[in-house]
Amino acid sequence: MINELARRRGFFWQSYEMYGGVSGFVTYGFLGARLKQNIEKKLRELFVNKLGIMEIEAPIIAPAKVFEASGHVDHFKEPMVECLKCGRRFRADHLLRESGKLSEAEAEKLNLKELKEAIEGHNVRCPECKGELGEPKYFLTMFKTTIGPYSEAVGYGRPEAAQNIFVEFRRLYETAREKLPFGVMQIGHALRNEISPRQGLIRLREFTIVDIEFFFDPEEPNCFLLKDFENETLRLVLAESRLRGSEDIIEVKVKEALEKSYIKVPWQAVFMTLAKKLLMELGVPSEKQRFIEKLPWERAHYSLQSFDQEVYVDRWGWIEVSGHAYRADYDLKQHMRFSGVDTQVFKEYERPVEAEKTIVKPLMTKLGPVFKDEAQKIAKMLEETKPEEVEVSFKEKGYYMLGEYKILPEHVEIRKRKVKEKGKRFIPHVVEPSFGSDRLVYVTLEYAYRVKEDRVILSFPRDIAPIQVGVYPLVSKDGLPEKAMQVYKMLVDEGFMVEYDEAGSIGRRYARADEAGIPLGITIDYETIKNDTVTIRDRDTWKQVRNHINVLPGLLHKYFQSKINFEDLGDLVK
Amino acid sequence: MINELARRRGFFWQSYEMYGGVSGFVTYGFLGARLKQNIEKKLRELFVNKLGIMEIEAPIIAPAKVFEASGHVDHFKEPMVECLKCGRRFRADHLLRESGKLSEAEAEKLNLKELKEAIEGHNVRCPECKGELGEPKYFLTMFKTTIGPYSEAVGYGRPEAAQNIFVEFRRLYETAREKLPFGVMQIGHALRNEISPRQGLIRLREFTIVDIEFFFDPEEPNCFLLKDFENETLRLVLAESRLRGSEDIIEVKVKEALEKSYIKVPWQAVFMTLAKKLLMELGVPSEKQRFIEKLPWERAHYSLQSFDQEVYVDRWGWIEVSGHAYRADYDLKQHMRFSGVDTQVFKEYERPVEAEKTIVKPLMTKLGPVFKDEAQKIAKMLEETKPEEVEVSFKEKGYYMLGEYKILPEHVEIRKRKVKEKGKRFIPHVVEPSFGSDRLVYVTLEYAYRVKEDRVILSFPRDIAPIQVGVYPLVSKDGLPEKAMQVYKMLVDEGFMVEYDEAGSIGRRYARADEAGIPLGITIDYETIKNDTVTIRDRDTWKQVRNHINVLPGLLHKYFQSKINFEDLGDLVK
């Protein structure tokens, strides 16, 4: 229904149709691209303009090291199984799920061996030819390439926009004037080389992701927005109830969800609330939304707690529109390990704190006789070692292995010293709200879809409608088109997105406009020539009001800022 | 200068610094991403809102077939040469140019054999180790991958956004209600796997391209915008004068450029004029711009005539910011050939035209005895053959080869028939204005850069400044921060991009804001507490005016729409 309309009116369609189409890729035509942009603009207004989150734009291609450090090279893979008869390939867990033998949650948690056993145990066969299936194998679901046309330097297409933020953390922290908390957002294309993409806009190989990484001090989250949202209600499906086999939704206030530790981090609760309100503004009522907590084996490798924001749609049931992961210090720590660059920040204490510091002092008189020429080098290495590690090793084993060198307690002197510490260094924690633009487009379309007297209306919220105003001469003669053109140009100059249409009967033009979701239609008729008034038609109610051309710009600006209603645009006709 | 400022203030920097950086990739920080977006927004307002060009959004990854058809797989390559001593690799033509032996134009036109001869002839050696250079080879400069994690299906990262438009032509033509002319635009990331990317934002491996494909009927271009622009002046460097060794700029009116065929297609002249005006609005005066016509061997393989719009910048001399290619019917024709899908449009004549049609009628009585069982098949094949081809072949050779079958004139009857043709089918022609977003950002930064009393000011045009307004409490006490916060929130709610800053002396805050290019600064002082007035400071002149808080929103909207000047914002202070 949505997909048929989307194709016909040019919202979106499968890309490369003339070459037979390629699964997992879509092209947004004029109306779709505009709708998507307007939704993304709404996210920017909320997160960047209002909350002061910094947006960045970075490359889609990254050197292999980035995704080795992030854990994606190890974890971003899917199990594939091949039919031994026809050679077709399938997602092993999907086959098990579709066979009806296992639930999605059950199938997802199986490793290769377990998948094999389950396929054999349930006698799952090729859905195409009923042939026997081979051994399941893992495939890396990132797009791989090389950077430099003849180089061996592996690069990957990013499967998320988050890593661009983590790898540039130092510069971004500087831009934030070295203060926590702060947030960074990136909206851009991401690539996942899915084994079997399906479902139109829902599972794509190339899609647009909106990743926000919000950095904070875990000891002092300083969640200054909490007070604005603590009495908002969230609809949660908790992991503990899912483990008991129930998908019951509980409705709790944000305050309670934090008190009861349903949600671990206040910032995460705030972003979930913002996400709920955002979806409502896109037309999805709160009772068609829920946040489902992921089970440990469903969570991405970097996450300590994850909720998926899901929306109920007719065609697919509950679908995810945003994910909320508590990534803690996982990513920054990994990049510090892999790059050797410090990602810690310094926090000054309000007053210096007294602390005991352990110092390992190499004794050259002892090291010299034992290690000869290497003693100097070993002394230097010891100074760079963490003193606590040496101390623990002495206690547990009686020696400390410094690389290949065995250090004994008598080789060094261990001292304790009282120091005044001015502050401490630590890696900030992060919560990540992550939206899928394409899915937001899909649910917006589905919730805008109405049928009235057998005609389709896309009732987009007025602030995201791809085209804001249609301008129509009642007939194509007697100077009406020229007058309509003047109105059209005036509104364009005022910055509105306007369509001029003079083809076909006025009824057909209205119908076409309703189907494209154009909130207002301005018609130029014979009265316009006489007294410079026009009719303004409402897409949803089909009511019409009449007013002077010269008050249109001011009134329309207010209307699209939702400061006035349709009835305030003029005098009701008839 | 620009690059140092860009890094320090977080406009942009080389990506992946923590992993040593990767050439050809940049990350835009907060100010840079916002500036780039605002420039792209300006292009959208001009081309989409005002001219009715349809924007689309399509994937970066395409199946190999698309770029085989487009000619990129054959033509999108660069000559590389390797040092036999140190193994380093270089662009062969760049080495020749940098050696000072050949000009850029001379080096670019050489084929592999000529490059080899030139390297040997001029004794060009490795710039790093002075070693001898090997044989030049071509490398495909597209990023290559596979679609589907275990498939063999080759995919490429798009080197331009144009092909997404050509391959979806049928649907886009439908959206345009099957009328010519119409235009389609795409703004998005593109990938070129350059051998030796350099020069910061100027030559990137991943960059943002703005491709507009404007389709028209070559017999009736219907260039309705020409009258608005025909008296505008363009500064051209023509190919004919470049061939004579001169880079003299001639200044001509658009009308004259078309009359004298300096520019072949009216729509191309219109877009060049729009591009000139656009760059002026970004801060580049017309005398720092020129359009240089490409020589035949410099043109892309698809282009019949190309002009590069160049801007003079201190650091690099003349650099290209947009390209204007007359792609004619090249791309649609190629995709029709490769996909078998018809990309022709039908044009109805005003009145039917009488034409003579040739018909080749197979004579079964003659074909039967000669071709036996295959006669039927051959008759069918003949009916699908173009009659004119058969006729010409008979005339020239006395027979016609239908695949492997030799058809003689006696096998068929050739008839002429008068028909009334209602219209004709043809492939639309296309002109392509193509902008590089990153280069637009660079020239905007360079032309905004000023030094005043030893302080840097980025004098961005007010409509593209990343941050519009700064709000500052004069001091951080006595209720001034709270009052400033109220003003900040009011302006944010009005949709402005506002920064709140209370750190450091007011002078330091102004300096920081000037360097970030914030056009207006609003300061809350002790008088504000008394009478609700604030000062407004101009970034460029440092003048200040005073006015009431409650008139700010209205005045600022007008100011940023360039309807009023700074002096109109209030009463001059002092």
Side-chain angles (χ1 to χ4, degrees), chain A residues 438-487:
Chain A
D438 311 272
R439 289 175 176 218
L440 293 179
V441 168
Y442 186 83
V443 301
T444 300
L445 273 166
E446 181 157 320
Y447 278 86
Y449 190 95
R450 313 241 181 298
V451 177
K452 183 171 175 177
E453 297 176 18
D454 281 342
R455 276 158 54 172
V456 171
I457 302 176
L458 287 178
S459 291
F460 296 124
R462 59 181 86 156
D463 59 341
I464 56 166
I467 298 171
Q468 297 176 295
V469 186
V471 173
Y472 318 107
L474 184 66
V475 290
S476 295
K477 57 181 183 181
D478 302 332
L480 298 193
E482 291 73 12
K483 191 76 191 168
M485 228 2 163
Q486 281 171 25
V487 174

Side-chain angles (χ1 to χ4, degrees), chain A residues 16 57 60-61 145 148 193 206, chain B residues 16 60-61 148 189 193 206:
Chain A
Y16 312 116
E57 184 182 339
I60 290 164
I61 305 236
T145 189
N193 212 350
E206 183 168 339
Chain B
Y16 311 118
I60 290 164
I61 305 241
H189 280 216
N193 212 350
E206 183 168 339

Side-chain angles (χ1 to χ4, degrees), chain A residues 7-10 13-19 22-23 25-31 33-34 36-37 40 44 48-50 52-63 65-66 69 80 89-90 139-141 143-151 158 164 166-168 171-172 174-175 177 179 189 191 193-195 205-206 208 334-336 338-339 341 343 488 492-499 501 503 512 557 561 563, chain B residues 7-10 13-19 22-23 25-31 33-34 36-37 40 44 48-63 65-66 69 80 89-90 139-141 143-151 158 164 166-168 171-172 174-175 177 179 189 191 193-195 205-206 208 334-336 338-339 341 343 488 492-499 501 503 512 557 561 563:
Chain A
R7 250 194 313 274
R8 185 162 49 78
R9 289 306 304 256
W13 57 84
Q14 190 182 40
S15 305
Y16 312 116
E17 278 178 345
M18 82 188 297
Y19 291 103
V22 182
S23 311
F25 293 91
V26 290
T27 293
Y28 289 93
F30 178 50
L31 292 174
R34 194 91 196 165
K36 180 167 177 286
Q37 262 172 36
E40 288 163 1
R44 286 194 172 101
V48 180
N49 293 44
K50 297 209 170 143
I53 285 172
M54 304 188 292
E55 186 173 356
I56 68 160
E57 184 182 339
I60 290 164
I61 305 236
K65 206 84 182 168
V66 170
M80 185 279 290
R89 287 153 164 182
F90 308 92
F139 274 87
L140 187 65
T141 51
F143 283 92
K144 194 174 175 178
T145 189
T146 55
I147 298 174
Y150 43 71
S151 89
R158 63 181 181 205
N164 293 119
F166 294 122
V167 298
E168 310 294 354
R171 283 207 183 274
L172 297 169
E174 263 172 45
T175 312
R177 303 215 199 131
K179 281 209 182 88
H189 281 217
L191 297 162
N193 212 350
E194 302 275 353
I195 292 177
R205 283 178 168 148
E206 183 168 339
T208 300
Q334 286 290 100
H335 287 300
M336 183 155 115
F338 274 69
S339 70
V341 174
T343 59
Y488 167 79
V492 165
D493 284 340
E494 278 289 326
F496 294 104
M497 185 69 205
V498 197
E499 186 185 70
D501 188 1
R512 223 161 29 212
H557 278 301
Q561 289 163 16
K563 288 180 180 168
Chain B
R7 250 194 313 274
R8 185 162 50 79
R9 289 306 306 255
W13 58 85
Q14 190 183 41
S15 305
Y16 311 118
E17 278 177 344
M18 83 188 298
Y19 290 103
V22 182
S23 311
F25 294 91
V26 291
T27 293
Y28 289 93
F30 178 50
L31 291 175
R34 193 91 195 166
K36 180 166 176 287
Q37 264 172 36
E40 288 162 1
R44 285 193 172 103
V48 180
N49 294 44
K50 297 209 169 143
L51 300 187
I53 286 172
M54 305 188 290
E55 186 173 358
I56 68 161
E57 184 181 340
I60 290 164
I61 305 241
K65 207 83 182 172
V66 170
M80 184 279 290
R89 286 154 164 182
F90 308 92
F139 274 87
L140 187 64
T141 51
F143 282 92
K144 194 174 175 178
T145 189
T146 56
I147 298 175
Y150 44 70
S151 89
R158 65 181 180 204
N164 293 119
F166 294 123
V167 298
E168 311 295 353
R171 283 208 182 273
L172 297 169
E174 262 173 44
T175 312
R177 304 217 197 128
K179 279 209 182 92
H189 280 216
L191 298 162
N193 212 350
E194 302 274 355
I195 292 178
R205 282 177 169 148
E206 183 168 339
T208 300
Q334 287 290 102
H335 287 300
M336 182 155 116
F338 274 69
S339 71
V341 173
T343 58
Y488 167 80
V492 164
D493 284 340
E494 277 289 325
F496 294 104
M497 186 67 206
V498 197
E499 186 185 69
D501 188 0
R512 221 158 35 211
H557 278 301
Q561 289 164 13
K563 288 181 180 168

Side-chain angles (χ1 to χ4, degrees), chain B residues 195-313:
Chain B
I195 292 178
S196 46
R198 276 167 303 185
Q199 303 171 297
L201 286 187
I202 306 305
R203 188 171 294 273
L204 293 170
R205 282 177 169 148
E206 183 168 339
F207 56 100
T208 300
I209 202 165
V210 182
D211 277 342
I212 296 171
E213 308 304 317
F214 198 87
F215 298 95
F216 61 95
D217 176 352
E219 289 179 4
E220 289 176 79
N222 186 15
C223 186
F224 49 82
L225 288 180
L226 187 56
K227 61 180 190 312
D228 297 344
F229 297 109
E230 59 184 8
N231 289 314
E232 291 278 342
T233 303
L234 289 174
R235 289 158 50 85
L236 306 177
V237 180
L238 295 176
E240 54 171 60
S241 81
R242 295 184 61 207
L243 285 171
R244 280 185 276 106
S246 149
E247 294 226 328
D248 287 351
I249 293 167
I250 56 165
E251 295 211 18
V252 287
K253 289 198 169 167
V254 168
K255 201 196 306 192
E256 190 190 341
L258 287 166
E259 278 163 10
K260 295 197 174 157
S261 282
Y262 294 157
I263 302 172
K264 288 182 183 158
V265 179
W267 278 112
Q268 185 158 4
V270 163
F271 280 109
M272 286 164 65
T273 315
L274 288 166
K276 171 194 133 183
K277 292 165 84 75
L278 180 79
L279 264 290
M280 286 171 69
E281 287 180 26
L282 295 180
V284 183
S286 68
E287 67 272 19
K288 298 288 187 179
Q289 300 184 35
R290 66 179 190 184
F291 288 91
I292 187 160
E293 189 182 0
K294 306 306 279 182
L295 301 173
W297 55 86
E298 294 171 338
R299 286 199 306 255
H301 57 278
Y302 45 70
S303 179
L304 293 184
Q305 184 178 36
S306 288
F307 284 91
D308 280 356
Q309 181 185 23
E310 297 186 329
V311 165
Y312 190 83
V313 295

Side-chain angles (χ1 to χ4, degrees), chain A residues 328-353:
Chain A
D329 60 358
Y330 176 85
D331 299 272
L332 289 181
K333 203 188 252 173
Q334 286 290 100
H335 287 300
M336 183 155 115
R337 260 185 59 200
F338 274 69
S339 70
V341 174
D342 193 358
T343 59
Q344 295 176 104
V345 303
F346 180 75
K347 175 163 85 166
E348 200 171 308
Y349 297 138
E350 280 190 28
R351 61 184 69 86
V353 167

